[in-house]
């Protein structure tokens, strides 16, 4: 009874307390705010998850690395009978980063030398016309010629060997990354196994995040009191490299883990691994960041992944812990220690025997030595300018183009050497500048360029951009214009070298003078050009017309307008060394002009030819007339203003000195049978150098040609040109044995008709006197 009464009382008390309604039971209370908050956070989290998912898919699905354009030199080609010096071959091999090795077992990119005999294992390379495979060759040089070229394996003679081209530079995207893309099937199984063993042993089992590894790393770090082990998977490392910043914090680590799981949900392990192999950072080469195992293998060891040894593979895998810290180029001992740690782990897995492990860890770290890049700023400037006329800047720094140039490492080496050695000998200040360019006479390919007395200085490119009066370099064009009129002018025509006064448009008198301040009376056209007399050049130039001279210079290769003033006949014309080389290339090619070009071919990243720069040769000038001028240019280098060359060089060359007013500019332009070279010297402020063409620029030219050229220039005499003996004083027909007789070329029908006192069929003086003649 009491219990029942108590229940009733309690029930009543629940309804009212002090006349007020009691609170409702808990079951009917409204939801608390944190439930809504959780729902909001859930929605936000799902939205953020969706955002990350879209970000991953959009970037990973359309993964297209920005690949820089790579610029290469021309490939070295060897064949029996070619001119080749041992030191030339060594320069080429150094430029190619080939290593000398005396172990007896050579790998691609290595060579052994024994005096004038070489054994070389070339690297394979894919060109625009197909793939060049690695070859083991044996060669011998004697008398500066390649006398033997054999296959080392078969002993058979090889007609031609083409080496991989020297890498000059890259045209990089803004981030400076470079990589050599590889497909997973191209990667050796040993590398993949080692990578997984060192970086992520459960890579093929986890879902992007390995909680066991995280726990293991946590325990190890707690015991050590510092970070000694990481728990990030390969997938997490890839996410960090592709999508996240390097800053370490909890939020970034959480993002990394979530994105790693999402990545694994969408893509296969194989795809993730292939991307990682191409993305990972493995060092720095100046401004170029080395990414991916493909490029790292080429950069550090000079060979593709498939040819790596086990220690080399271990070294690259070990570098993942710290690419800069374990860089084998800068820190070989540190890199070796890390490599041996990797090999020890492999050994612990039973893959290597104790003896194998000892042998492999005994190997020293050997990397490919690298010549200093960006040493050729003037040449690379020319390449970029010529490429920009065809390709957009975006294509050049992101599409992985491979650009093959005409750059000749040995010619460039000798050109730089000539400039550096000769300049201090000239007595000028260290502000005296120089620029030079070397081209092939047959096809206009630019072989070498220097734009500063310090060849590797990347400043003002004088070879392309300095524009100065060319002085007497213009005279061959003037005489070429005159000799076109073969009925009026020949090399034996008489020209008056006496005082000349010309009234200019400004009503002022212009009185040109010869360099020696003398007058020479009546002289042959040949003699006037041979000795670079000024007054005859002015007389002929004004006679044939300034417009005709400008037309001739355009035909020779220079398209810039020229000032229509009489002083143009003495070279008061602004040109660059590049412009002058274009003109003299036409002379060297006997009237066939080829536009100067530095780029030969361009391939896309798949190796397909995008653009082949064809040889563009046009006969612009009558070869009959060019033969007359070239004969004289050959004489200039033997007995004219450049006669010192006959003593300095073992081969015959043709050329012309050039000196502007007040000795401001010193020029020499000339050619042998296999090279055209133009050298300029002067001050940037256009002050006097105190040097003539022969005392300044010609000295650099001579030193250069003595080292790069072995082929004499021979004038190509067309069928319509014949050699005839004339009297040097009168220009009349003479005989070979007569005094003052000189043999000159003439276009048939233009030979002198009248005979000198002494000629082959004229009676001698005593015979005429006998008969009262």
């Amino acid at each position: 009874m009491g219990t029942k009464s108590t229940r009733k009382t309690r029930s009543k008390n629940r309804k009212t307390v002090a006349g007020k309604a009691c609170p409702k039971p808990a079951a009917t209370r409204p939801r608390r705010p944190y439930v809504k908050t959780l729902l909001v956070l859930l929605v936000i989290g799902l939205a953020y998850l969706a955002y990350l998912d879209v970000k991953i898919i959009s970037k990973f699905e359309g993964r297209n690395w920005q690949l820089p354009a790579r610029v290469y030199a021309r490939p070295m080609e060897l064949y029996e009978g070619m001119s080749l010096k041992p030191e030339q071959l060594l320069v080429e091999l150094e430029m190619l980063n080939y290593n000398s090795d005396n172990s007896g077992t050579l790998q691609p990119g290595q060579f052994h030398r024994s005096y004038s005999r070489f054994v070389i294992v070339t690297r394979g390379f894919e060109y625009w016309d197909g793939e060049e495979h690695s070859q083991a060759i044996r060669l011998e040089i004697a008398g500066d010629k390649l006398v033997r070229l054999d296959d080392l394996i078969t002993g058979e003679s090889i007609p031609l060997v083409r080496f991989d081209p020297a890498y000059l530079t890259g045209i990089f995207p803004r981030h400076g990354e470079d990589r050599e893309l590889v497909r997973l099937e191209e990667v050796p199984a040993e590398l993949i196994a080692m990578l997984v063993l060192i970086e992520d042993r459960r890579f093929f089992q986890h879902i992007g995040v390995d909680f066991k590894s995280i726990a293991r790393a946590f325990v190890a770090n707690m015991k050590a009191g510092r970070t000694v082990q990481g728990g990030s998977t390969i997938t997490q490392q890839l996410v960090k490299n592709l999508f996240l910043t390097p800053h370490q914090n909890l939020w970034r680590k959480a993002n990394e883990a979530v994105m790693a799981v999402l990545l694994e949900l969408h893509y296969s392990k194989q795809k993730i691994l292939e991307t990682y192999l191409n993305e990972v950072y493995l060092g720095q080469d100046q401004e170029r960041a080395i990414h991916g195992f493909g490029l790292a293998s080429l950069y550090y060891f000079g060979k593709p992944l498939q040819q790596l040894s086990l220690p080399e593979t271990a070294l690259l895998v070990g570098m993942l812990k710290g690419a800069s810290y374990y860089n084998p180029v800068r820190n070989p001992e540190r890199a070796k220690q890390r490599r041996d740690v990797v090999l020890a782990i492999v050994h612990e897995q039973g893959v290597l025997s104790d003896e194998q492990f000892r042998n492999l860890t005994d190997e020293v770290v050997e990397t490919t030595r690298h010549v200093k890049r960006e040493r050729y700023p003037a040449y690379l400037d020319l390449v970029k300018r010529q490429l920009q006329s065809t390709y957009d800047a975006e294509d050049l720094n992101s599409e992985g183009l491979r650009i093959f140039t005409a750059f000749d490492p040995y010619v460039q080496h000798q050109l730089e050497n000539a400039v550096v050695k000769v300049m201090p000998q000239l007595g000028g200040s260290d502000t005296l500048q120089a620029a030079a360019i070397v081209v092939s006479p047959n096809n206009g390919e630019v072989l070498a360029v220097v734009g500063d007395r310090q060849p590797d200085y990347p400043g003002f490119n004088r070879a392309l951009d300095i524009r100065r009066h060319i002085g007497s370099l213009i005279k061959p064009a003037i005489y070429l214009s005159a000799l076109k009129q073969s009925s009026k002018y020949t090399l034996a025509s008489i020209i008056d070298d006496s005082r000349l006064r010309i009234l200019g448009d400004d009503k002022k008198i212009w009185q040109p003078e010869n360099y020696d301040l003398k007058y020479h009376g009546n002289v042959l056209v040949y003699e006037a050009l041979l000795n670079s007399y000024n007054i005859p050049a002015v007389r002929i130039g004004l006679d044939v017309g300034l417009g005709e001279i400008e037309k001739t210079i355009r035909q020779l290769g220079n398209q810039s307008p020229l000032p229509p003033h009489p002083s143009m006949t003495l070279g008061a014309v602004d040109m660059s060394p590049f412009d002058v080389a274009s003109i003299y290339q036409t002379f060297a090619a006997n009237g066939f002009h080829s536009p100067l070009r530095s780029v030969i071919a361009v391939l896309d990243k798949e190796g397909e030819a995008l653009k082949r720069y064809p040889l563009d040769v046009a006969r612009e000038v009558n070869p009959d007339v060019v033969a007359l001028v070239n004969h004289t240019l050959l004489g200039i280098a033997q007995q004219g203003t450049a006669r010192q060359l006959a003593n300095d060089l073992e081969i015959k060359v043709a050329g012309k000195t050039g000196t502007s007013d007040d000795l401001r500019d010193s020029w020499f332009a000339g050619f042998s049978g296999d090279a055209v070279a133009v050298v300029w010297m002067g001050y940037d402020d256009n002050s006097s150098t105190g040097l003539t063409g022969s005392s300044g620029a010609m000295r650099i030219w001579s030193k250069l040609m003595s080292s790069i050229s072995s082929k004499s220039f021979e004038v190509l005499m067309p069928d319509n040109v014949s050699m005839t003996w004339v009297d040097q004083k009168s220009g009349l027909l003479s005989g070979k044995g007569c005094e003052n007789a000189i043999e000159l070329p003439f276009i048939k029908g233009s030979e002198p008709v009248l005979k000198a006192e002494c000629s082959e069929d004229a009676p001698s003086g005593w015979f005429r006197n006998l008969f009262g003649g």
Side-chain angles (χ1 to χ4, degrees):
M1 292 287 295
T3 302
K4 186 175 181 181
S5 174
T6 302
R7 284 200 302 264
K8 287 181 179 181
T9 304
R10 288 175 181 170
S11 175
K12 184 177 181 181
N13 288 340
R14 280 199 300 265
K15 293 179 181 180
T16 61
V17 177
K20 295 182 180 179
C22 293
K24 294 181 179 180
T28 61
R29 292 176 188 172
R31 294 178 179 174
R32 298 194 178 186
Y34 69 82
V35 177
K36 292 183 179 180
T37 302
L38 286 176
L39 289 174
V40 171
L41 291 176
L42 180 61
V43 171
I44 292 174
L46 291 174
Y48 185 66
L49 199 63
Y51 161 74
L52 293 179
D53 196 53
V54 171
K55 180 179 179 180
I56 288 172
I57 294 174
S58 61
K59 189 166 184 178
F60 201 85
E61 196 72 45
R63 187 66 181 135
N64 185 20
W65 280 285
Q66 287 186 318
L67 303 176
R70 293 182 185 166
V71 183
Y72 296 95
R74 64 96 182 92
M76 176 172 64
E77 295 182 337
L78 301 182
Y79 54 89
E80 286 188 8
M82 70 177 292
S83 297
L84 185 67
K85 301 175 183 178
E87 57 268 26
Q88 177 181 353
L89 181 58
L90 288 173
V91 168
E92 296 271 6
L93 292 174
E94 179 183 6
M95 185 66 191
L96 289 170
N97 297 320
Y98 275 49
N99 291 330
S100 176
D101 189 282
N102 297 320
S103 65
T105 304
L106 298 182
Q107 299 295 322
Q110 295 181 330
F111 71 94
H112 171 69
R113 180 190 183 186
S114 177
Y115 300 102
S116 60
R117 295 182 177 89
F118 290 79
V119 174
I120 309 172
V121 180
T122 69
R123 302 188 189 106
F125 197 84
E126 186 175 2
Y127 288 96
W128 58 86
D129 56 356
E131 185 175 358
E132 200 76 29
H133 297 286
S134 174
Q135 288 181 277
I137 63 172
R138 176 175 50 207
L139 62 89
E140 182 177 352
I141 300 171
D144 292 342
K145 285 191 178 295
L146 181 58
V147 296
R148 178 184 181 186
L149 183 59
D150 298 335
D151 185 298
L152 185 64
I153 307 301
T154 65
E156 296 180 356
S157 178
I158 304 175
L160 178 73
V161 172
R162 181 163 60 172
F163 284 69
D164 53 309
Y167 171 74
L168 298 180
T169 190
I171 303 176
F172 295 101
R174 192 170 300 173
H175 52 60
E177 292 181 6
D178 194 7
R179 51 176 52 81
E180 182 79 16
L181 297 179
V182 295
R183 293 187 294 271
L184 189 60
E185 58 266 26
E186 299 171 339
V187 180
E190 293 83 0
L191 191 155
I192 295 175
M194 197 177 295
L195 173 66
V196 171
L197 179 63
I198 301 301
E199 290 297 313
D200 187 358
R201 296 189 184 187
R202 286 171 32 82
F203 173 72
F204 291 102
Q205 286 79 46
H206 62 63
I207 59 168
V209 178
D210 188 353
F211 296 103
K212 289 185 178 180
S213 294
I214 293 173
R216 184 171 59 248
F218 178 78
V219 172
N221 295 337
M222 288 296 291
K223 288 182 178 179
R226 57 188 176 89
T227 301
V228 295
Q229 192 176 116
S232 293
T233 65
I234 285 177
T235 312
Q236 286 177 275
Q237 294 178 42
L238 180 59
V239 165
K240 178 181 66 177
N241 291 337
L242 289 181
F243 306 111
L244 302 175
T245 66
H247 302 298
Q248 291 277 11
N249 54 57
L250 273 177
W251 176 250
R252 204 220 69 182
K253 290 296 291 182
N255 270 331
E256 178 186 296
V258 172
M259 295 174 79
V261 174
L262 291 174
L263 194 64
E264 295 249 3
L265 288 175
H266 288 293
Y267 301 101
S268 67
K269 293 284 187 180
Q270 289 73 22
K271 181 65 176 176
I272 292 170
L273 187 58
E274 181 180 86
T275 306
Y276 179 86
L277 289 166
N278 284 302
E279 175 61 28
V280 67
Y281 173 72
L282 285 167
Q284 197 76 25
D285 174 28
Q286 297 180 47
E287 82 289 354
R288 177 173 69 148
I290 307 297
H291 282 260
F293 281 88
L295 181 59
S297 178
L298 294 172
Y299 178 71
Y300 292 114
F301 304 112
K303 52 189 173 183
L305 285 174
Q306 298 86 343
Q307 296 176 7
L308 288 181
S309 66
L310 204 61
E312 290 167 342
T313 301
L315 191 148
L316 292 184
V317 171
M319 287 179 67
L320 293 173
K321 187 175 182 180
S324 298
Y325 189 78
Y326 296 109
N327 187 306
V329 175
R330 294 193 292 267
N331 305 302
E333 287 302 318
R334 196 181 292 162
K336 181 182 184 303
Q337 292 172 5
R338 176 60 183 163
R339 180 203 69 181
D340 292 348
V341 168
V342 173
L343 290 173
I345 295 173
V346 175
H347 174 233
E348 291 170 3
Q349 298 297 309
V351 177
L352 299 176
S353 67
D354 293 343
E355 183 179 1
Q356 287 176 319
F357 174 64
R358 285 193 300 270
N359 291 337
L360 292 178
T361 52
D362 283 342
E363 291 187 18
V364 298
V365 171
E366 290 187 355
T367 57
T368 298
R369 57 189 174 85
H370 292 271
V371 297
K372 182 182 176 184
R373 293 193 306 103
E374 296 293 356
R375 284 190 55 215
Y376 316 108
Y379 193 96
L380 294 173
D381 183 26
L382 174 62
V383 170
K384 292 174 183 178
R385 294 189 197 192
Q386 295 191 339
L387 284 171
Q388 286 166 359
S389 65
T390 307
Y391 297 96
D392 294 332
E394 184 68 22
D395 294 333
L396 292 176
N397 61 27
S398 65
E399 293 301 316
L401 303 181
R402 284 192 285 169
I403 298 158
F404 296 90
T405 72
F407 180 86
D408 188 307
Y410 182 69
V411 175
Q412 180 75 29
H413 172 77
Q414 294 297 347
L415 176 58
E416 293 181 0
N417 182 62
V419 171
V420 171
K421 292 291 179 61
V422 172
M423 291 294 288
Q425 302 172 6
L426 299 177
S429 70
D430 56 8
T431 59
L432 179 65
Q433 276 295 346
I437 182 170
V438 184
V439 305
S440 169
N442 299 323
N443 51 30
E445 291 179 354
V446 180
L447 308 179
V449 182
V450 162
D452 191 282
R453 67 177 292 160
Q454 300 179 43
D456 58 354
Y457 182 71
F460 182 50
N461 189 349
R462 294 167 186 82
L464 305 184
D465 296 327
I466 194 105
R467 301 189 63 80
R468 292 295 185 86
H469 285 185
I470 64 173
S472 294
L473 295 187
I474 200 173
K475 288 175 181 174
I478 293 173
Y479 287 97
L480 185 68
S481 301
L483 292 168
K484 290 178 183 178
Q485 306 174 29
S486 59
S487 61
K488 185 176 182 180
Y489 285 105
T490 70
L491 290 179
S493 296
I494 298 294
I495 299 297
D496 178 18
D497 182 12
S498 62
R499 185 185 302 273
L500 178 64
R501 293 166 61 87
I502 300 171
L503 181 64
D505 294 337
D506 57 359
K507 305 303 180 183
K508 293 182 179 180
I509 298 296
W510 178 53
Q511 184 173 316
E513 294 180 329
N514 292 319
Y515 178 74
D516 60 5
L517 301 178
K518 297 178 181 179
Y519 301 107
H520 307 92
N522 290 334
V523 296
L524 301 188
V525 165
Y526 175 78
E527 184 182 358
L529 179 54
L530 190 77
N531 296 301
S532 198
Y533 295 150
N534 288 338
I535 295 173
V538 176
R539 290 188 189 278
I540 288 183
L542 295 178
D543 183 55
V544 300
L546 301 182
E548 185 62 29
I549 296 173
E550 183 175 16
K551 177 183 176 182
T552 297
I553 291 177
R554 282 200 305 270
Q555 291 173 334
L556 289 170
N558 181 70
Q559 305 305 315
S560 302
L562 304 180
H565 305 301
S567 59
M568 180 183 83
T569 58
L570 295 184
V573 173
D574 290 333
M575 289 188 189
S576 68
F578 183 90
D579 297 331
V580 174
S582 183
I583 291 172
Y584 276 78
Q585 180 274 325
T586 309
F587 281 116
N590 298 291
F592 290 89
H593 177 67
S594 299
L596 303 191
R597 58 179 184 153
S598 60
V599 180
I600 297 174
V602 177
L603 275 61
D604 66 14
K605 61 186 177 184
E606 305 298 333
E608 298 294 327
L610 289 181
K611 187 173 181 62
R612 187 82 159 86
Y613 289 75
L615 178 60
D616 184 10
V617 180
R619 175 178 284 180
E620 298 290 352
V621 188
N622 187 334
D624 298 346
V625 186
V626 173
L628 307 185
V629 176
N630 280 349
H631 178 83
T632 311
L633 293 177
L634 195 63
I636 289 173
Q638 294 175 317
Q639 59 203 46
T641 57
R643 55 186 173 274
Q644 182 61 38
L645 293 175
N647 298 323
D648 295 342
L649 302 177
E650 297 179 358
I651 59 173
K652 291 181 180 181
V653 296
K656 184 72 188 74
T657 54
T659 311
S660 65
D661 288 346
D662 301 322
L663 305 181
R664 290 188 176 95
D665 302 280
S666 171
W667 291 89
F668 193 84
F671 42 90
S672 65
D674 51 13
V676 182
V678 176
V679 179
W680 167 86
M681 290 174 52
Y683 287 105
D684 287 341
D685 63 3
N686 209 21
S687 58
S688 176
T689 65
L691 300 168
T692 64
S694 58
S695 65
M698 193 180 82
R699 293 180 60 181
I700 292 177
W701 193 94
S702 176
K703 184 170 182 60
L704 165 70
M705 296 300 282
S706 66
S707 59
I708 69 168
S709 182
S710 59
K711 185 178 181 181
S712 291
F713 176 73
E714 301 291 342
V715 180
L716 179 63
M717 289 296 180
D719 294 338
N720 198 39
V721 175
S722 60
M723 301 297 293
T724 302
W725 288 93
V726 299
D727 180 69
Q728 195 168 358
K729 292 186 178 298
S730 65
L732 302 180
L733 285 174
S734 184
K736 181 178 182 180
C738 295
E739 187 179 0
N740 297 322
I742 183 173
E743 191 177 28
L744 297 176
F746 291 86
I747 296 174
K748 290 181 179 179
S750 68
E751 303 91 340
V753 176
L754 299 177
K755 300 174 182 177
E757 183 176 329
C758 175
S759 63
E760 288 184 346
D761 55 353
S764 62
W766 68 268
F767 187 79
R768 290 199 307 275
N769 292 335
L770 181 65
F771 289 93

